[in-house]
Amino acid sequence: MIGEGQIGGRQLLLILFIMRATIGIAFLPIVTVAGPMEDAWLAGFGAAIGSALIALVVGSLSSKFPTQTVVEFAQELLGTVFGKIVSLIFLWVFLFVAAVDVRMYGEVLVTAFLPETPLFFVIAVMVVVSSYAAYQGIEVMGRTADFIFPVFVLMILTTTVAAVPSINWGRLQPIAAKGIRPILRASITPTFIALQVMTLPVLLPRVSKPEKATAYAVWAVVLASFLLIPTSIVTIGVLGADLASRSVFPFFNLARAVRISEFLERLEALVVFPWGLGLFVAVSIYLYCGAKSLAQVLNIKDYRPLIPPMAVVWVAMSIQVSADMFELGRFFLPEVLGPFALTLIAVPHGLLWLAYGVRKLKKKGN
Amino acid sequence: MRFLLKVLRGIRRRRGRTLKQLVSDADYHEIEAYIEQESLTGKLENTEALIKAAFGGSPDLVFRRMRLAANDQIEVLVCYIDGLVDMHLLAEAILGPIGSELPFDLPLPAAPKGAYDLLGQSLLHGAALQEVDELGDALKVLSKGFAVVFVEGVAQGQAYAVQGWVERSVEEPTTESAVRGPKQGFVENPRVNTSMLRRIIGAPELWFEELEIGGVTKTKVTLAYIKGIASNDLIEEARRRLQSITVDAVFESGYIEEYIEDAPFSPFPTLLRTERPDKAAGSLLEGRIVIITEGTPFVLIAPAVFASFLMASEDYYERSWTSSFLRLVRIIAMFISLTLPSFYIAITTFHQEMLPTPLILSIAAQREGVPFAAIVEAIFLELSFELLREAGIRLPKVVGPAISIVGALVLGEAAVQAGLVSSAMVIVVAFTAIASFASPIWSMTLSVHLLRFPIMILAGSLGLFGVVMGLSAVLIHLSALRTFGVPYLEPFSPVIFPQWKDAGIRAPLWMMDVRPNRKSEQDRIREEPEQKPRPPQS
């Protein structure tokens, strides 16, 4: 357990895919955030393009420093103090996004399955298991993702395909009746959920071929965005645009509505299982990145001792992050999440890119 | 003892104390130190006394003082341990030639050294002998069943391998029986075991290295590998791990396993054990190493990845389709035996809506009279099953039927009728039990049994979510495990597609033309490609 090991490019792709797809499908923000829209699935294309751009901005900077995490190269570009402050923004993103993810999954579980279990307990179990994974290092997480990915995709696709016979195709019309603006608005939230890509600058030095990492990251977010298209088509087609947009977890409701035969109905488990597995990958990566970058900010050699205390903060954070499900839901409105995520992505990366450009120019000047 | 002391009387220790005092004080370290000082002097009297002292005058130690029949000036001492030597061989090949005219016409030399050499050439029909220069060596080989011959006036001894003791003959392996395939299993004698491997693998590349482990038991441990197929790193690592063991006793390969395994606290075994020579030979040919321990028919195979615990040697003897199907069945069985009770608990406690209405109604009707929660019921039944299993192994065979009747009647019938458990739960537990025994390797079965309980508790407290979290934890643990440097979940994670031919399924033999690449690039070609049978087109 001395070296933390490495992950291959494929594993990076799977990790980022799972992270993005989990939250994307859990909330299906395409469908819910922009009000009833029959053609909301079109926003999937917008999300794919938008998130690919984010991945490019984040990844291409990071791949200029293939052996350094964001904490290290930020200090190199901006000086020790400012670099550390910028790294704190990244740390905050990890903490916050993971807290929101965990909270959402906890809410689904408590609402749907475990009405008498305290939310705290559910969240704590999830974080404990994830910290075990983070403790084992990035290589183990990559291998776990290898295993989880097929299960994840298979179960999501099974649910989707099983729902196809129940689609009322009339519910999917009209397409783009109100012009392109509502579609763009609907694609804002799913785009900015790509905040997950901000883990890339921490993971990148651990990827066996860092120069290809950006390409893998772009592929991951694009593929995950495309996964949203069939799921949202099916959800709207089965539930109808109105019902789908008003439910908190539309895909979950879809699974409830599916009925294949007398013996095979109520496929929620098929949804909850991959969510659990996917979320577990996501949270452990956030924990790893959080602990890793905190360790580097504080100049601690080994990140592992930081995991238990961070896990405690994580649990508390996800309880405190919002009062209830609906407040959390409002957070995902394009008017809220858009500026929020844009700031978190643009400010640190703007600064870093600027510093990088200045440095390049200086070098040329010499 | 008195006789012994009388013999010892003449011998004086250089630094004050006599051997007599030493023996009666009975601190073995002092005796040992004394013997180490007293090297072989060529005085038979002395030698005999020292050997006797070392063994404490044990009654199974036999000394035969003889005079060479051809020349009665020459005195010979034959020493062996009764019961460890083959008496016929000893009489015919050692005592016989000494006591009768040696059958050759060389002039019999009077000098003791000449007689010594002559004996070396003629005893045991001239078969190889082991020279003994130190008394300590003589003591060691005596315990291994050698007969040691000393000649008066020669400060050396000759050890002859005349071992012969009662031992189990080669039988069908009891823990890994197969419908098709060789019926012989390893035995306790390491030499027989190596010979079985040699008979299967006829190439001189099969190398054995012998070590002695166990300060008191002095157990022979043999490291076997095929030079050129096993990677040198692996061999070196195995040798290093074996050599670093310093323990006083080794009774079974389990002792070795505990000292060389990668993850001592893991519930999963990281070394494979088998009593089938064909399986060991197959592993050798895949570039793995085999560790044979004296005194046990179970040999160890390393590295042992998770998938290898789901393979039986029969997989390679039956046709590919059926073998692949059986492997699939075993994988499912392992999954069932790990999770079925947990799923049952989770669904009946938290997710009743997932079952079709008629089924849930029938389960609910059965559970109506049961006073316990599903988790309590399940743990109670699972524990009683473990009890039954354990009792079934330990019981004298004659009482076995009684236990099975009591188990079947009391637990199966009466407990349900008394309303202590529901019959659905009995079915679940019974099915789990059957599934758990489909695993070909017992140590893996036990690991799965053990892990079942924490997952059941998670299912009882958090439903399916708990099961998922439990399985995730197991998955991380498995991903983190390594066995002799090889990731435990290979070839599934990290993904090595060529090896999938012999993991979850078993591809036809003519397709597996390359050996699994266990970090060794050496000698990877297993067979000529394109050997798919093509019957003539008529």
Side-chain angles (χ1 to χ4, degrees):
Chain A
M1 271 300 133
I2 301 154
E4 291 160 39
Q6 283 194 324
I7 51 173
R10 187 198 61 246
Q11 287 170 333
L12 179 76
L13 191 149
L14 297 187
I15 286 175
L16 289 176
F17 177 90
I18 292 173
M19 285 171 85
R20 181 161 161 72
T22 306
I23 193 158
I25 286 173
F27 241 113
L28 220 58
I30 287 195
V31 178
T32 52
V33 292
M37 274 173 66
E38 288 76 14
D39 48 3
W41 54 272
L42 279 173
F45 294 101
I49 297 167
S51 48
L53 278 178
I54 295 179
L56 265 178
V57 169
V58 176
S60 52
L61 176 67
S62 173
S63 54
K64 301 267 192 294
F65 303 90
T67 54
Q68 288 175 311
T69 70
V70 64
V71 183
E72 288 162 329
F73 72 71
Q75 291 183 38
E76 202 182 306
L77 287 176
L78 300 170
T80 316
V81 177
F82 276 107
K84 282 190 176 171
I85 291 174
V86 167
S87 327
L88 285 181
I89 300 181
F90 279 82
L91 257 173
W92 166 253
V93 171
F94 302 150
L95 175 61
F96 184 79
V97 178
V100 170
D101 276 12
V102 174
R103 174 60 181 270
M104 268 173 34
Y105 189 63
E107 290 282 355
V108 183
L109 284 173
V110 171
T111 328
F113 295 123
L114 308 164
E116 281 163 45
T117 312
L119 184 64
F120 165 76
F121 187 56
V122 175
I123 288 175
V125 168
M126 223 170 344
V127 174
V128 164
V129 177
S130 306
S131 22
Y132 177 50
Y135 198 86
Q136 299 284 359
I138 187 70
E139 191 175 340
V140 172
M141 284 186 274
R143 290 219 217 104
T144 315
D146 267 346
F147 258 88
I148 288 178
F149 176 76
V151 180
F152 183 82
V153 171
L154 200 75
M155 287 190 169
I156 298 286
L157 286 186
T158 311
T159 318
T160 314
V161 171
V164 167
S166 334
I167 293 180
N168 178 352
W169 295 99
R171 284 176 176 159
L172 288 162
Q173 289 160 351
I175 292 174
K178 291 175 204 154
I180 197 123
R181 287 180 65 91
I183 296 174
L184 284 182
R185 180 167 173 266
S187 58
I188 288 178
T189 304
T191 300
F192 281 111
I193 287 177
L195 219 51
Q196 288 118 344
V197 183
M198 287 181 77
T199 52
L200 183 64
V202 184
L203 299 178
L204 191 112
R206 295 274 153 219
V207 180
S208 53
K209 284 181 189 150
E211 66 278 3
K212 286 193 181 163
T214 311
Y216 282 120
V218 171
W219 271 112
V221 291
V222 168
L223 287 177
S225 308
F226 280 134
L227 189 67
L228 295 181
I229 295 172
T231 45
S232 49
I233 290 179
V234 168
T235 310
I236 297 172
V238 173
L239 299 177
D242 190 46
L243 182 58
S245 72
R246 273 191 288 115
S247 52
V248 184
F249 303 108
F251 196 64
F252 184 75
N253 289 353
L254 169 78
R256 282 207 156 155
V258 167
R259 184 187 163 126
I260 297 174
S261 74
E262 196 63 14
F263 236 81
L264 265 179
E265 47 182 0
R266 316 222 48 177
L267 297 173
E268 301 102 286
L270 273 186
V271 181
V272 171
F273 254 93
W275 276 358
L277 292 171
L279 198 83
F280 149 75
V281 170
V283 175
S284 55
I285 290 289
Y286 285 127
L287 258 174
Y288 170 82
C289 291
K292 182 91 192 164
S293 38
L294 185 63
Q296 285 180 336
V297 168
L298 301 176
N299 294 329
I300 300 172
K301 250 192 191 141
D302 190 6
Y303 72 93
R304 291 198 178 91
L306 289 176
I307 289 179
M310 288 196 83
V312 175
V313 176
W314 240 265
V315 174
M317 179 78 186
S318 62
I319 303 278
Q320 291 302 323
V321 73
S322 79
D324 53 38
M325 205 52 242
F326 301 100
E327 196 180 315
L328 200 59
R330 278 199 294 281
F331 169 71
F332 280 94
L333 288 177
E335 292 79 15
V336 182
L337 183 74
F340 175 79
L342 192 63
T343 319
L344 284 182
I345 295 172
V347 169
H349 284 95
L351 278 172
L352 290 171
W353 270 111
L354 200 69
Y356 180 74
V358 168
R359 212 174 65 150
K360 261 271 146 95
L361 281 180
K362 263 190 189 168
K363 263 191 190 164
K364 257 187 192 168
N366 290 346
Chain B
M1 205 60 179
R2 197 165 290 163
F3 165 74
L4 169 68
L5 295 180
K6 213 160 72 188
V7 177
L8 295 178
R9 193 153 294 158
I11 307 167
R12 291 224 156 252
R13 251 205 79 177
R14 278 152 219 153
R15 284 179 215 148
R17 272 215 283 184
T18 58
L19 190 56
K20 168 191 167 183
Q21 285 167 325
L22 271 177
V23 171
S24 54
D25 288 354
D27 185 345
Y28 198 80
H29 288 292
E30 291 178 74
I31 300 177
E32 213 176 5
Y34 185 86
I35 289 169
E36 254 167 41
Q37 280 177 6
E38 295 281 331
S39 50
L40 288 174
T41 51
K43 288 218 163 47
L44 290 188
E45 190 111 335
N46 203 343
T47 312
E48 184 177 338
L50 285 169
I51 294 177
K52 249 188 193 163
F55 278 94
S58 177
D60 59 350
L61 187 66
V62 180
F63 293 97
R64 292 286 299 275
R65 289 271 207 112
M66 308 171 80
R67 282 178 187 282
L68 216 56
N71 184 341
D72 63 0
Q73 300 294 303
I74 309 258
E75 217 180 334
V76 179
L77 174 69
V78 180
C79 172
Y80 60 89
I81 291 183
D82 196 16
L84 289 185
V85 296
D86 181 346
M87 287 311 286
H88 290 290
L89 189 61
L90 184 78
E92 182 206 342
I94 298 201
L95 300 180
I98 296 174
S100 64
E101 289 285 338
L102 283 171
F104 34 63
D105 22 339
L106 284 169
L108 276 176
K113 182 65 183 156
Y116 178 83
D117 292 340
L118 190 64
L119 286 176
Q121 285 162 20
S122 50
L123 292 189
L124 199 62
H125 313 300
L129 62 92
Q130 211 174 313
E131 296 267 0
V132 177
D133 296 322
E134 297 284 331
L135 199 59
D137 296 340
L139 298 176
K140 230 180 261 172
V141 293
L142 274 173
S143 316
K144 294 288 174 198
F146 282 71
V148 187
V149 175
F150 298 99
V151 177
E152 175 77 44
V154 180
Q156 263 182 325
Q158 299 168 341
Y160 293 96
V162 288
Q163 293 102 325
W165 51 75
V166 184
E167 66 180 24
R168 203 166 60 92
S169 59
V170 175
E171 286 162 16
E172 192 176 343
T174 45
T175 58
E176 287 165 274
S177 41
V179 180
R180 181 171 174 183
K183 298 278 182 195
Q184 57 176 2
F186 282 125
V187 293
E188 283 77 1
N189 185 339
R191 192 46 76 231
V192 176
N193 292 350
T194 54
S195 79
M196 280 197 250
L197 287 178
R198 276 249 189 260
R199 271 182 287 162
I200 299 175
I201 302 172
E205 290 101 303
L206 174 61
W207 286 13
F208 294 118
E209 278 175 33
E210 209 165 85
L211 288 93
E212 202 172 72
I213 299 177
V216 176
T217 58
K218 309 213 183 297
T219 311
K220 254 193 249 167
V221 174
T222 313
L223 173 66
Y225 52 87
I226 298 185
K227 187 75 182 171
I229 293 180
S231 81
N232 290 335
D233 292 345
L234 174 65
I235 299 168
E236 182 51 43
E237 177 64 21
R239 195 184 293 136
R240 191 189 61 75
R241 290 192 194 185
L242 284 175
Q243 279 167 349
S244 67
I245 304 176
T246 46
V247 66
D248 63 343
V250 173
F251 294 136
E252 217 274 340
S253 51
Y255 278 60
I256 306 282
E257 185 177 350
E258 283 210 20
Y259 283 102
I260 66 173
E261 66 188 344
D262 286 66
F265 288 116
S266 168
F268 291 98
T270 48
L271 282 148
L272 197 59
R273 57 122 192 86
T274 184
E275 48 173 339
R276 294 188 66 91
D278 53 337
K279 190 165 183 173
S283 303
L284 284 172
L285 277 162
E286 286 179 355
R288 298 196 252 181
I289 54 131
V290 167
I291 298 166
I292 302 166
T293 313
E294 184 179 6
T296 175
F298 292 101
V299 306
L300 298 174
I301 299 171
V305 296
F306 186 74
S308 60
F309 287 92
L310 292 167
M311 299 177 188
S313 48
E314 212 178 335
D315 290 353
Y316 301 95
Y317 307 142
E318 284 298 342
R319 298 182 59 249
S320 148
W321 279 110
T322 42
S323 305
S324 302
F325 172 68
L326 288 179
R327 278 199 185 164
L328 202 67
V329 168
R330 278 185 223 124
I331 294 171
I332 295 171
M334 176 176 268
F335 196 73
I336 286 177
S337 93
L338 184 62
T339 56
L340 185 68
S342 317
F343 276 123
Y344 178 79
I345 294 167
I347 288 175
T348 52
T349 316
F350 295 98
H351 317 284
Q352 294 91 347
E353 74 281 355
M354 284 177 64
L355 291 177
T357 319
L359 183 58
I360 192 69
L361 283 181
S362 125
I363 290 180
Q366 287 168 23
R367 285 191 46 81
E368 202 173 17
V370 179
F372 309 113
I375 170 75
V376 179
E377 202 186 340
I379 287 188
F380 167 69
L381 263 186
E382 283 289 347
L383 274 181
S384 57
F385 162 69
E386 298 288 322
L387 269 178
L388 263 180
R389 180 180 60 75
E390 189 60 18
I393 297 174
R394 308 282 161 236
L395 267 182
K397 282 213 173 79
V398 272
V399 249
I403 264 291
S404 41
I405 289 169
V406 168
L409 277 183
V410 172
L411 292 171
E413 278 295 319
V416 174
Q417 278 178 13
L420 286 174
V421 290
S422 64
S423 45
M425 185 61 89
V426 174
I427 296 170
V428 166
V429 169
F431 194 62
T432 314
I434 295 167
S436 74
F437 292 121
S439 165
I441 309 288
W442 181 241
S443 39
M444 187 50 98
T445 311
L446 291 181
S447 310
V448 171
H449 278 215
L450 199 65
L451 281 176
R452 193 188 293 155
F453 288 95
I455 296 182
M456 269 159 57
I457 291 171
L458 277 172
S461 48
L462 287 167
L464 281 180
F465 167 65
V467 179
V468 175
M469 285 298 125
L471 291 180
S472 302
V474 172
L475 186 61
I476 310 164
H477 177 70
L478 286 174
S479 303
L481 270 187
R482 277 169 180 275
T483 158
F484 279 74
V486 178
Y488 199 51
L489 287 180
E490 201 191 85
F492 301 111
S493 155
V495 180
I496 302 173
F497 278 116
Q499 282 185 38
W500 284 29
K501 282 187 220 168
D502 189 11
I505 56 157
R506 204 275 288 165
L509 291 175
W510 42 263
M511 270 181 156
M512 298 193 268
D513 46 2
V514 174
R515 273 182 243 287
N517 168 19
R518 294 189 192 286
K519 285 190 176 170
S520 85
E521 289 298 327
Q522 319 178 20
D523 208 357
R524 288 198 54 210
I525 305 302
R526 176 142 48 188
E527 62 188 5
E528 292 293 317
E530 302 296 317
Q531 289 201 74
K532 184 181 173 193
R534 282 190 188 77
Q537 307 285 324
S538 56

